Amino acid sequence: MQETMTGLELKFCRFDEDLTVKEDGMVIEGYASRFGATDQGGDVVEAGAYSASLARMIAEGRRGKMLWQHDPAQPIGIWDEIREDGTGLWVKGRLLEGVARGREAAALIQAGAIDGLSIGYRTKRATKDTGGRRLLTELELWEVSVVTFPMLPSARVAAKSGATPLEDELRELAAAFRAAGAELGTR
């Protein structure tokens, strides 16, 4: 866990398996937080911890923010869906190709160089258990970031497939070079 000067806390999670690419950007989805799991900071998010915050966001017509490495000056996409289920906080959103850092994040994710998600939140209610762990029972969710180092390794993105138009072009170009090389080698 990290704390900024404004008191905003941060939790990190890893992407799960694959990512999905659609026309309007790379779609990422998975768990940004898992209930009952002790993170590297010794905190445990309890089931229902996000429910009041998510209800307020919906009532106010707001979405959670998708940031690059928790930097509020670097939004990189849109979270289209954020919800709690029996496992944790599930998110689904799009890295925007029209944003330079969004394209960079997509490339880094595709290459496996970046594989983490991290939540930025304020603690509204928490208790301590007998082992000294902080049990987070109510959180105000501010944002979910794509990050390098996740705090909770078990929270991951669940899907990826396809390619961006640029990746398709590069594959076609590589195939053309291979074919040309093969043709030159036979002459």
Side-chain angles (χ1 to χ4, degrees):
M1 177 185 62
Q2 241 180 332
E3 214 170 304
T4 65
M5 294 180 66
T6 61
L8 188 67
E9 296 178 70
L10 311 174
K11 293 263 181 249
F12 302 89
C13 305
R14 281 193 193 278
F15 287 122
D16 214 359
E17 298 163 8
D18 295 320
L19 302 172
T20 303
V21 178
K22 295 192 176 179
E23 292 176 16
D24 51 355
M26 176 185 279
V27 174
I28 58 176
E29 61 184 76
Y31 287 96
S33 174
R34 290 185 181 259
F35 299 138
T38 303
D39 69 17
Q40 295 176 16
D43 289 343
V44 177
V45 177
E46 297 289 305
Y50 302 99
S51 61
S53 179
L54 295 175
R56 274 191 304 279
M57 289 170 85
I58 291 168
E60 295 169 3
R62 295 184 297 118
R63 293 184 191 197
K65 305 299 182 201
M66 183 190 293
L67 303 178
W68 174 253
Q69 308 279 358
H70 295 293
D71 185 345
Q74 294 191 60
I76 58 171
I78 297 168
W79 291 118
D80 295 313
E81 189 175 347
I82 302 176
R83 64 176 162 78
E84 278 187 322
D85 64 18
T87 301
L89 184 69
W90 185 85
V91 296
K92 180 178 181 179
R94 294 170 281 135
L95 294 165
L96 299 178
E97 292 180 349
V99 175
R101 183 66 76 187
R103 288 189 306 274
E104 292 172 12
L108 290 166
I109 290 166
Q110 288 284 43
I114 298 285
D115 62 358
L117 291 175
S118 175
I119 56 172
Y121 65 96
R122 290 192 199 279
T123 301
K124 303 289 270 179
R125 285 190 344 221
T127 60
K128 292 264 186 179
D129 70 6
T130 56
R133 296 180 311 167
R134 192 167 66 144
L135 306 176
L136 305 174
T137 56
E138 185 179 352
L139 301 175
E140 179 183 0
L141 182 66
W142 277 55
E143 53 93 7
V144 179
S145 284
V146 174
V147 297
T148 307
F149 298 108
M151 183 78 110
L152 183 62
S154 66
R156 300 174 180 265
V157 166
K160 109 176 159 182
S161 65
T164 65
L166 177 59
E167 289 170 324
D168 287 336
E169 287 179 40
L170 291 173
R171 280 192 190 97
E172 288 175 19
L173 185 58
F177 280 124
R178 281 193 300 274
E183 188 176 318
L184 287 173
T186 60
R187 291 185 180 183

